[in-house]
Amino acid sequence: MDAEFLSLLRDPIAHEPLDHIRDGKREFLSSRSGRRYEIDAGIVRFLDAEELTGNNKRYQRLYDRLAPVYDLSTRIYARVKQGNVDDRIGQYLKELDVKDGQRVIEISVGTGRNLVGLNHKAAYFGVDISFGMMKRCARAMRRSGRRVSLVQAEAELLPLKDGAFDVVFSAGGFNFFNDKSEAVREMLRIAKSGTKLMISDETEKIRAKFDKSPVTKAFYGNQDKIAGPAAFIPDGCRDVEYKEVCDGELYALTFWKP
Ligand SMILES: C[S@@+](CC[C@H](N)C(=O)[O-])C[C@H]1O[C@@H](n2cnc3c(N)ncnc32)[C@H](O)[C@@H]1O
């Protein structure tokens, strides 16, 4: 395992640094308190899927099932209903300014379709609850010539060191999170001081469209009403700015860690 990646990881419960160990052919990270986390296909698995609750349980299962068809189906859906998917992605990613050598992390990284278009000289990290989606992410990043380090964990409990990342963002997952305030607190905790953070996701406008089709309603229906995401940003963050992009179907919320 890459030494820099290991140095950024923390036991999610005790926040202690972790040691890399081998047991036969299997690799683990071990905490000083005795917990063990398996490394599978290069992805560190901090999550026990059986312990997930609420939305996080629902969407971990859903995205593991969708993983093999996610990229193709979202591309086709966008082409038919919304226009070019890369143009849409570009409309929120332009809020990020990724410089050479920076550490960039996406929370709810999925198959990595946001990362593959960013500066290829940066170091990429991703967190998601779905192991299936991240296996696809590892493959896509390899093909695009970018380096990525992945952990399976909840946005609400990041197994990562404080103040370690230059660019922190989440696109497409925020509306699903069990505890949005906690997820924002965690994003701020792992960001370096002076970092710009970005959260992007769907507005109610696109939800109304999904509700009209039985297929998309079956996947995405029965969700809570989308709350104004700026309400989750704690006092003390600088320059909180909410804007709608993609004809009002997505929002991009930016804010700075003091
Ligand atoms: C619509 S996909 C978006 C993936 C990718 N960011 C993109 O834009 O294509 C939503 C992702 O959020 C992840 N997710 C949902 N709830 C999560 C949580 N609480 N913590 C981490 N990831 C989560 C899902 O597993 C899924 O991969």
Side-chain angles (χ1 to χ4, degrees):
M1 155 169 266
D2 175 60
E4 186 199 358
F5 182 32
L6 180 61
S7 75
L8 299 174
L9 294 171
R10 291 289 177 273
D11 180 273
I13 297 157
H15 289 285
E16 307 162 329
L18 295 155
D19 297 313
H20 181 226
I21 54 170
R22 281 179 196 280
D23 190 349
K25 286 193 174 159
R26 296 169 72 194
E27 288 180 86
F28 297 87
L29 294 184
S30 145
S31 77
R32 281 145 215 185
S33 321
R35 280 175 290 274
R36 267 187 170 201
Y37 306 100
E38 185 159 16
I39 306 173
D40 187 354
I43 300 167
V44 191
R45 305 192 72 167
F46 286 98
L47 206 68
D48 180 350
E50 295 306 309
E51 288 181 5
L52 290 175
T53 60
N55 268 356
N56 291 4
K57 182 181 188 136
R58 174 179 180 194
Y59 290 108
Q60 188 267 331
R61 288 183 178 168
L62 176 69
Y63 279 99
D64 265 354
R65 285 209 306 275
L66 283 181
V69 296
Y70 177 80
D71 284 332
L72 184 64
S73 58
T74 50
R75 208 161 267 283
I76 293 170
Y77 184 84
R79 178 64 55 89
V80 175
K81 299 268 188 192
Q82 301 166 323
N84 184 290
V85 79
D86 297 317
D87 290 346
R88 287 173 70 81
I89 289 174
Q91 289 188 44
Y92 55 83
L93 286 188
K94 73 170 185 244
E95 297 298 330
L96 304 176
D97 176 22
V98 178
K99 300 196 172 62
D100 292 0
Q102 285 191 322
R103 283 188 202 134
V104 180
I105 186 160
E106 181 175 2
I107 311 302
S108 69
V109 65
T111 56
R113 64 181 193 154
N114 295 313
L115 301 186
V116 293
L118 295 173
N119 182 346
H120 72 276
K121 290 188 180 158
Y124 291 98
F125 300 82
V127 176
D128 204 286
I129 46 174
S130 164
F131 184 64
M133 293 288 273
M134 280 191 296
K135 280 203 285 189
R136 302 252 151 193
C137 177
R139 196 171 68 182
M141 291 294 274
R142 244 189 335 268
R143 285 182 179 161
S144 79
R146 288 169 180 75
R147 202 156 57 86
V148 72
S149 305
L150 296 168
V151 297
Q152 188 189 21
E154 290 173 278
E156 296 88 340
L157 190 62
L158 298 177
L160 295 158
K161 190 177 162 185
D162 295 0
F165 295 90
D166 302 288
V167 178
V168 180
F169 76 103
S170 177
F174 191 72
N175 291 344
F176 298 143
F177 297 167
N178 266 357
D179 187 337
K180 296 173 180 58
S181 300
E182 195 53 46
V184 173
R185 268 197 293 278
E186 283 290 80
M187 288 174 73
L188 283 162
R189 180 182 65 74
I190 65 166
K192 288 183 184 170
S193 191
T195 293
K196 182 184 185 186
L197 294 94
M198 195 262 293
I199 295 173
S200 174
D201 211 338
E202 290 157 351
T203 62
E204 281 291 341
K205 183 174 175 186
I206 199 165
R207 187 70 65 72
K209 272 192 184 173
F210 285 162
D211 280 348
K212 284 191 188 145
S213 148
V215 178
T216 46
K217 192 171 179 182
F219 282 120
Y220 295 109
N222 304 319
Q223 286 184 43
D224 305 335
K225 193 168 166 50
I226 297 169
F232 298 103
I233 310 305
D235 292 346
C237 287
R238 286 196 289 117
D239 302 329
V240 181
E241 196 184 335
Y242 173 90
K243 61 168 80 144
E244 293 190 350
V245 295
C246 303
D247 288 330
E249 292 186 345
L250 304 180
Y251 64 79
L253 175 70
T254 51
F255 50 104
W256 293 76
K257 178 170 173 172

